[in-house]
Amino acid sequence: MTVPLSILDLATIGKGQTVAESLAGSVAMAQKAEELGYRRVWYAEHHNMSAIASSATSVLIAHVAAHTNTIRLGAGGVMLPNHSPLTIAEQFGTLETLHPGRIDLGLGRAPGSDQNTMRALRRDHTSSDRFPQDVLELQGYLTGPTRIQGVEATPGKGTNVPLYILGSSLFGAQLAAQLGLPYAFASHFAPAALQDAVAIYRREFKPSGQLSEPHVIAGVNVTAADSNAEAQAIHLAVKRARVSLFFGGGREFTDDEADMVLDSPQGQHIAQMMKFSAVGTKDVVRDYLDEFAQHADADELIVAHQSIGTEERLRSVELVAEVAGLVSAQASA
């Protein structure tokens, strides 16, 4: 691989799996990623989604950090309009204080939920309009000086937790460039504007105290297995699960029902979401990731290992590491 690899873990709750089992799987994945030499693992904030257990992102990071030693961990991301900047500064300041040099904070402005859930979170439809100001307020709490006179984050002040702007549109690219922050594009589920957003970010980037040169992280789906047939079967199972998640209204579709939806115009939306997916044996996946990194003009790839089971996901993590030239923790010790 020509660029570093990281992992995006959605703490997926597989069919027949409990939340506790999902979270145990997240710990196992981070431990495996640390062992194999992945750069970082990030967790995404989603709410009211029955198949995703990463809603309390900072709590999950704390738990995984306590069960690992060196790998960077972070939010990919915290949906900042759902929270006050001070609260997030305190949470991630605490994490950085407990696990120095290991914590990242990626920030997004989407609700990470539907309209009813947005109301349940006590945010309003204008919350995202304050996103640029909220990022600056948060940055002030972590790096100083504070932008709210007389208000400091404790823990938080002076921890200098690195910020990343997440996005799937040109807005995030322009903001990250203006603030001189790294930019992570959500091409693993919203691929349409990838190249335009990266081009704008690189063209308009202004160096900052955190970052002297642009840094682009691009998301990509991966399903690596010991045979192409196995990888394709897992990939199909993931798409079927997404049909139930997005269209099921709380019920599970049968495989035949899910396949009918996937073949319909509605189902094409799922195919489009997963446009950037590396599926196959480790050599097939390696070649795809190399080509995708060039296509995305990325400095780093963050991989969402897509599977419906923990064992298959961990095997995908291992297979990619084998062909990506990652340096294992043992080798670097």
Side-chain angles (χ1 to χ4, degrees):
M1 285 296 302
T2 56
V3 299
L5 286 184
S6 298
I7 291 176
L8 177 66
D9 181 5
L10 297 177
T12 305
I13 306 168
K15 189 174 182 179
Q17 191 178 44
T18 66
V19 173
E21 289 168 339
S22 167
L23 297 178
S26 289
V27 172
M29 178 181 284
Q31 291 171 334
K32 181 66 68 176
E34 180 174 85
E35 172 191 335
L36 296 173
Y38 285 83
R39 173 170 283 192
R40 66 183 99 239
V41 181
W42 280 1
Y43 306 92
E45 177 186 347
H46 291 280
H47 298 281
N48 194 32
M49 299 188 75
S50 60
I52 295 178
S54 54
S55 54
T57 313
S58 59
V59 179
L60 179 56
I61 292 169
H63 179 66
V64 176
H67 289 81
T68 52
N69 298 300
T70 58
I71 193 165
R72 295 195 68 88
L73 301 167
V78 162
M79 300 299 106
L80 191 53
N82 293 342
H83 313 274
S84 77
L86 177 60
T87 297
I88 296 303
E90 291 168 341
Q91 290 176 3
F92 280 79
T94 300
L95 288 169
E96 174 63 24
T97 302
L98 293 171
H99 307 283
R102 296 181 57 199
I103 302 301
D104 300 328
L105 178 49
L107 302 169
R109 68 181 182 124
S113 59
D114 54 56
Q115 293 297 312
N116 285 336
T117 307
M118 184 178 75
R119 286 191 288 272
L121 288 165
R122 298 299 189 266
R123 62 169 285 185
D124 61 65
H125 67 281
T126 64
S127 299
S128 59
D129 296 342
R130 300 188 300 272
F131 182 64
Q133 292 77 22
D134 285 349
V135 172
L136 290 172
E137 182 182 335
L138 173 58
Q139 188 177 51
Y141 292 134
L142 294 171
T143 64
T146 179
R147 290 175 176 262
I148 307 297
Q149 187 174 0
V151 179
E152 304 281 3
T154 306
K157 182 180 180 181
T159 55
N160 298 306
V161 176
L163 302 183
Y164 297 73
I165 299 297
L166 278 58
S168 58
S169 68
L170 306 187
F171 176 87
Q174 291 168 325
L175 180 62
Q178 179 184 350
L179 299 181
L181 296 175
Y183 180 52
F185 192 89
S187 35
H188 62 291
F189 76 88
L194 171 61
Q195 289 184 305
D196 288 341
V198 171
I200 287 174
Y201 169 69
R202 291 195 179 279
R203 184 173 66 246
E204 299 184 3
F205 179 84
K206 298 177 181 178
S208 68
Q210 178 178 324
L211 195 64
S212 60
E213 297 180 348
H215 186 82
V216 172
I217 303 175
V220 58
N221 300 295
V222 166
T223 301
D226 291 296
S227 71
N228 280 313
E230 182 185 0
Q232 292 295 338
I234 294 171
H235 185 60
L236 176 57
V238 169
K239 290 193 292 185
R240 285 169 171 167
R242 290 200 174 193
V243 169
S244 294
L245 180 64
F246 293 126
F247 304 115
R251 79 174 183 91
E252 289 281 339
F253 283 89
T254 66
D255 288 349
D256 288 342
E257 290 171 335
D259 290 342
M260 289 177 63
V261 175
L262 288 171
D263 289 337
S264 72
Q266 271 186 313
Q268 293 307 302
H269 174 64
I270 292 175
Q272 179 60 25
M273 287 176 65
M274 301 187 72
K275 175 182 177 181
F276 294 127
S277 295
V279 182
T281 61
K282 60 186 181 182
D283 294 327
V284 171
V285 168
R286 177 200 57 211
D287 292 345
Y288 184 99
L289 292 180
D290 272 331
E291 292 174 5
F292 175 73
Q294 295 179 37
H295 174 80
D297 193 14
D299 302 296
E300 179 180 342
L301 297 183
I302 190 159
V303 173
H305 287 277
Q306 299 288 355
S307 175
I308 56 171
T310 299
E311 292 306 315
E312 293 89 347
R313 194 173 296 115
L314 292 176
R315 183 59 179 153
S316 183
V317 169
E318 291 174 341
L319 289 170
V320 173
E322 286 177 11
V323 292
L326 302 186
V327 179
S328 69
Q330 293 92 331
S332 62

